[in-house]
Amino acid sequence: MNFLDIACQKGPFDDLEFGLCDDQSSPVAYVDTAEKNKWLATVSNPKERDVIFTAIDKCVIKDGDARGRPRCDCMLTVGSELYLIELKERDKARWQSVAAEQLESTIKLMSESHGVEFLKEYNPKKAYICNRNKHPFFKPEFNMKKRFYDEYQFRLYVQTLVKIP
């Protein structure tokens, strides 16, 4: 698995705002700049920085790879900043914990594929759980966020707005 595979990357995107989508129109998650009604997450980029989008599920990690191990939908990189994103559109129970497991598994797969030093090159590191169907969001427990940071050095957010400072 190569998380820097250019075949899975799009961009750079320097729009003030764009959306992240994961629907039947594409086999992988993708960026949309026009149809806000399709967006599962909104990326706010007020400084119009160059954002690289990478499709993880079904591109970096193909269906036959890492069987039985969940993975998140995509990642954004902006210079040395890393954003992992899981997109949800469901009301079922446990969506939040399932999404956190997908993010954790992806972080572990990154370390296994590129070595533990790979993630140290990125700062800050943020992980987003985005679910358009859950308003208002249930905030993750403090213990869950603390454990995520202590174990992986990623800040965990549960919201549909991904902020690029």
Side-chain angles (χ1 to χ4, degrees):
M1 274 168 255
N2 179 3
F3 285 83
L4 302 175
D5 185 350
I6 60 171
C8 297
Q9 295 180 343
K10 302 283 186 230
F13 297 92
D14 62 0
D15 305 65
L16 282 169
E17 182 180 86
F18 57 90
L20 302 177
C21 306
D22 188 20
D23 56 40
Q24 300 304 316
S25 70
S26 174
V28 297
Y30 62 96
V31 169
D32 179 84
T33 58
E35 297 182 61
K36 287 187 176 188
N37 61 318
K38 296 172 84 175
W39 299 1
L40 297 180
T42 301
V43 178
S44 172
N45 186 16
K47 295 182 181 173
E48 298 179 323
R49 298 173 67 198
D50 287 341
V51 179
I52 301 296
F53 171 87
T54 305
I56 293 177
D57 189 20
K58 296 182 176 28
C59 195
V60 169
I61 307 172
K62 301 191 180 19
D63 282 340
D65 298 342
R67 286 197 181 273
R69 295 183 70 182
R71 71 285 313 257
C72 70
D73 291 303
C74 60
M75 74 178 184
L76 304 176
T77 49
V78 185
S80 64
E81 300 167 22
L82 176 64
Y83 304 81
L84 292 177
I85 301 162
E86 175 55 26
L87 302 167
K88 295 286 186 207
E89 189 169 24
R90 62 173 71 157
D91 292 320
K92 294 180 183 176
R94 289 188 18 90
W95 65 268
Q96 197 173 37
S97 61
V98 168
E101 289 169 18
Q102 290 172 274
L103 290 163
E104 285 183 80
S105 178
T106 303
I107 293 167
K108 290 175 185 175
L109 288 165
M110 286 178 121
S111 292
E112 292 167 16
S113 298
H114 294 282
V116 292
E117 294 300 313
F118 176 74
L119 287 172
K120 290 182 181 177
E121 295 177 20
Y122 292 97
N123 186 37
K125 295 181 287 283
K126 298 179 181 182
Y128 283 83
I129 298 171
C130 303
N131 187 341
R132 178 170 67 180
N133 286 347
K134 283 294 187 182
H135 299 285
F137 274 139
F138 296 96
K139 297 294 180 194
E141 294 180 19
F142 173 77
N143 291 339
M144 179 179 168
K145 291 173 80 171
K146 182 177 181 339
R147 183 185 61 76
F148 214 88
Y149 187 78
D150 290 346
E151 286 186 38
Y152 308 109
Q153 290 72 56
F154 272 79
R155 297 270 181 217
L156 180 63
Y157 300 89
V158 181
Q159 60 191 49
T160 57
L161 182 64
V162 177
K163 300 175 186 177
I164 306 295

